[in-house]
Amino acid sequence: MNRCACLSVLMMVFVLGACQREVPPPPAAAAEIPEPAPDASFCADEADGDYLNPKSCRSLVICRSQQMAELRICPKGEVINGLSEQRPLRCLPLAESGLNADCSFKPVPLSDVLPE
């Protein structure tokens, strides 16, 4: 085999080898943490309606006929501020809610609450 033929064969092996390399799998997605549901008896003494989940600011409990009919979960990055005067309760972007990601309330500067 002459030098050109050898180089051609080596180039083909190199190119084919490069095309056949295994691509590593993408990293595993972080497991979603399930939304905590209130106790089964939560709606037993409640009128029909929508209530803030007592275990999370990320969902509403829908009560119908003293039964939990639905657990309505906010889209990712949204929460419900149960102390908001806005009714009906609804999901808001975290930045607009007045809440931290762990559902605690953001501190309010004293200048916002004290008279001048």
Side-chain angles (χ1 to χ4, degrees), residues 31-107:
E32 293 268 335
I33 298 171
E35 183 66 14
D39 298 330
S41 63
F42 177 80
C43 293
D45 297 321
E46 301 294 348
D48 287 0
D50 303 352
Y51 298 89
L52 182 63
N53 182 348
K55 294 189 177 183
S56 172
C57 65
R58 292 175 188 85
S59 59
L60 289 172
V61 179
I62 314 299
C63 295
R64 300 284 181 264
S65 303
Q66 274 100 30
Q67 301 278 329
M68 186 167 46
E70 182 182 354
L71 183 64
R72 190 170 299 157
I73 302 170
C74 292
K76 188 172 185 166
E78 294 189 7
V79 294
I80 302 162
N81 182 343
L83 296 181
S84 169
E85 293 179 15
Q86 184 175 10
R87 295 291 182 261
L89 293 172
R90 66 181 181 93
C91 300
L92 299 168
L94 182 63
E96 297 173 19
S97 70
L99 298 175
N100 294 309
D102 66 354
C103 298
S104 63
F105 287 94
K106 291 182 180 178

